Amino acid sequence: MKFHYQHLLEILKKTPTKNELSEILFQLGHENEIEGEIFDLELTPNRGDCLSLFGLARDLNFFFEFKNNLKVYDGQLEDFNFDFINHEPNACPEIKFLYLEIENEVNSYKDYLASYFEDLPNKRVNFFTDVSNYVSYELGQPSHCYDFSSLQGTLELKKIDKKKDFITLQEKKIIIDEGDLIFSINDEVVNLAGIMGGQSTRCSNKTTKVLLECAHFRPDEILGKSTKYALNSDASHKYERFVDPVLQDFAIKRFIKIVEDHANIKEIKLYKKSNTDHSERIIELNPSKINSILGTRLDSKKIIQILNNLFFEVTENKVKVPSFRNDISNENDISEEIARVIGY
């Protein structure tokens, strides 16, 4: 993952130098190189939650204080009666579709959005896709934009039952294998799920009606597919490493806010479908055992302070694991988190 130093500073209360930031990232287990203002991170596969500015700032909270100052849309969203069938709720337990219509095309960007393309640099595609990519950079939630006017029929998420041709957004023709997860309309593939959308439903600079797809896919459903089809996909890179299953609402409201900053919105509606109960993960907290594992003499207050700063909730010697940390399941994992902060 690459990020711009100044972009990260905007959501930190303290202002570390680039070298200070680099050293702490190494301490936390995030290998990195600096070239000018750009940090290039090598994250371990279990830390998909750090594949965004937001995620990195959370992980750095103990040292530099995360400043959660991103503005989001605060209005009501009307229910969207969208014609969609999810045939694979186990593969995709969470999915939302936002319908959004603006009055006119958008030709110029606010400074914060323009800097994403100028500072890194990144190539502009079209307004809605650019906002989608920016939200993924900020929050770590991939999404896909369809030109709503191109959708004629029922959108279905399913595993393909026979090989089919598909032309991607990158205008590359591939043959999708039987058993892979796709979105289709009238049995035509319009999206290789979690990886890349298709040419036939893509947005353009003329698009004023967009359908934003925002989902949580099981990592094993996406794993290896971008390599298999030789597709360069930031979305699949994130989905393979786990995306927070409760992040979609926040990402959608952030998307709307950015659009609202650039255009007059005529209509917005939201379709929601959930097949998950989001049960809490609770781990017993035993400070003496943690000290035994680490060979330390940390008091309970220090241990709780560290965990709270990593966004674990501690109540009566029970630790509630945040939804974005699917890699935490026992006391050894908790001990490792504390070791990352105090240093090995």
Side-chain angles (χ1 to χ4, degrees):
M1 173 194 170
K2 292 184 178 181
F3 73 89
H4 194 280
Y5 171 63
Q6 294 296 332
H7 298 176
L8 184 63
L9 290 188
E10 289 173 8
I11 53 174
L12 295 176
K13 291 182 181 179
K14 297 181 181 178
T15 308
T17 66
K18 284 183 284 187
N19 286 335
E20 288 170 339
L21 177 58
S22 177
E23 288 174 7
I24 293 299
L25 287 170
F26 271 114
Q27 179 178 319
L28 292 173
H30 309 319
E31 295 186 12
N32 63 91
E33 294 180 355
I34 309 172
E35 184 174 342
E37 298 288 291
I38 306 296
F39 278 70
D40 192 352
L41 265 66
E42 285 290 335
L43 298 168
T44 55
N46 67 315
R47 293 309 308 273
D49 63 294
C50 287
L51 287 170
S52 66
L53 294 177
F54 196 80
L56 279 176
R58 275 188 315 222
D59 214 40
L60 293 162
N61 183 52
F62 182 86
F63 302 95
F64 307 125
E65 297 182 37
F66 172 39
K67 184 169 59 177
N68 188 2
N69 59 345
L70 298 183
K71 295 180 180 179
V72 299
Y73 177 74
D74 60 2
Q76 295 295 316
L77 291 173
E78 178 186 342
D79 289 340
F80 182 27
N81 186 22
F82 181 53
D83 191 6
F84 170 69
I85 302 173
N86 184 355
H87 297 283
E88 297 293 337
N90 290 327
C92 179
E94 298 286 337
I95 191 161
K96 296 176 174 65
F97 292 99
L98 176 76
Y99 170 79
L100 189 149
E101 181 181 358
I102 59 175
E103 286 187 356
N104 300 301
E105 301 166 24
V106 176
N107 298 310
S108 62
Y109 293 171
K110 301 287 185 180
D111 288 347
Y112 70 89
L113 184 56
S115 68
Y116 168 66
F117 299 96
E118 295 165 2
D119 294 344
L120 283 172
N122 286 308
K123 182 181 178 181
R124 295 190 187 191
V125 183
N126 58 71
F127 174 62
F128 287 117
T129 300
D130 290 348
V131 176
S132 170
N133 291 338
Y134 179 70
V135 171
S136 182
Y137 173 64
E138 276 192 328
L139 303 182
Q141 172 67 60
S143 58
H144 179 67
C145 293
Y146 303 86
D147 186 314
F148 187 75
S149 300
S150 70
L151 304 178
Q152 303 296 325
T154 302
L155 183 65
E156 300 182 64
L157 176 64
K158 60 186 179 181
K159 290 189 176 178
I160 200 167
D161 58 3
K162 60 182 178 181
K163 291 186 177 183
K164 280 189 175 292
D165 292 344
F166 176 55
I167 301 176
T168 73
L169 288 171
Q170 298 173 347
E171 300 183 357
K172 179 178 180 179
K173 184 176 181 179
I174 63 174
I175 301 174
I176 301 177
D177 285 338
E178 180 181 344
D180 285 346
L181 193 65
I182 56 102
F183 289 90
S184 70
I185 296 178
N186 300 323
D187 209 32
E188 176 195 350
V189 180
V190 296
N191 189 343
L192 183 55
I195 299 166
M196 189 170 293
Q199 184 74 15
S200 64
T201 58
R202 68 182 299 177
C203 291
S204 72
N205 289 322
K206 301 291 185 182
T207 299
T208 57
K209 297 178 182 179
V210 69
L211 182 75
L212 179 77
E213 166 214 315
C214 201
H216 171 75
F217 297 103
R218 303 288 188 198
D220 57 351
E221 295 290 345
I222 309 301
L223 187 64
K225 299 298 192 303
S226 62
T227 301
K228 176 182 178 180
Y229 295 111
L231 298 174
N232 182 18
S233 169
D234 177 70
S236 67
H237 185 74
K238 289 182 167 77
Y239 281 130
E240 287 176 350
R241 288 155 178 78
F242 185 81
V243 173
D244 186 353
V246 300
L247 184 57
Q248 291 90 44
D249 281 335
F250 186 64
I252 287 169
K253 289 178 180 179
R254 179 60 177 156
F255 180 92
I256 297 170
K257 177 59 181 173
I258 296 171
V259 173
E260 190 178 48
D261 284 349
H262 292 82
N264 291 324
I265 297 175
K266 292 178 66 175
E267 188 176 11
I268 46 175
K269 297 183 287 188
L270 182 65
Y271 171 96
K272 294 184 178 184
K273 187 67 175 179
S274 175
N275 294 283
T276 307
D277 60 6
H278 302 303
S279 56
E280 296 179 348
R281 282 173 292 149
I282 305 295
I283 299 172
E284 295 288 333
L285 179 63
N286 187 332
S288 61
K289 186 173 181 181
I290 288 173
N291 279 314
S292 176
I293 291 170
L294 297 178
T296 54
R297 295 181 179 179
L298 299 171
D299 61 36
S300 297
K301 288 184 179 180
K302 184 66 174 178
I303 289 173
I304 292 171
Q305 179 196 11
I306 292 171
L307 292 174
N308 284 340
N309 273 273
L310 291 171
F311 298 90
F312 294 83
E313 295 180 21
V314 183
T315 307
E316 297 180 352
N317 288 327
K318 293 185 184 297
V319 180
K320 178 183 174 183
V321 181
S323 59
F324 55 84
R325 292 301 304 272
N326 72 316
D327 59 323
I328 304 296
S329 59
N330 54 50
E331 280 185 323
N332 287 330
D333 295 331
I334 293 292
S335 299
E336 185 176 348
E337 289 301 292
I338 293 165
R340 288 196 311 125
V341 170
I342 64 173
Y344 288 93

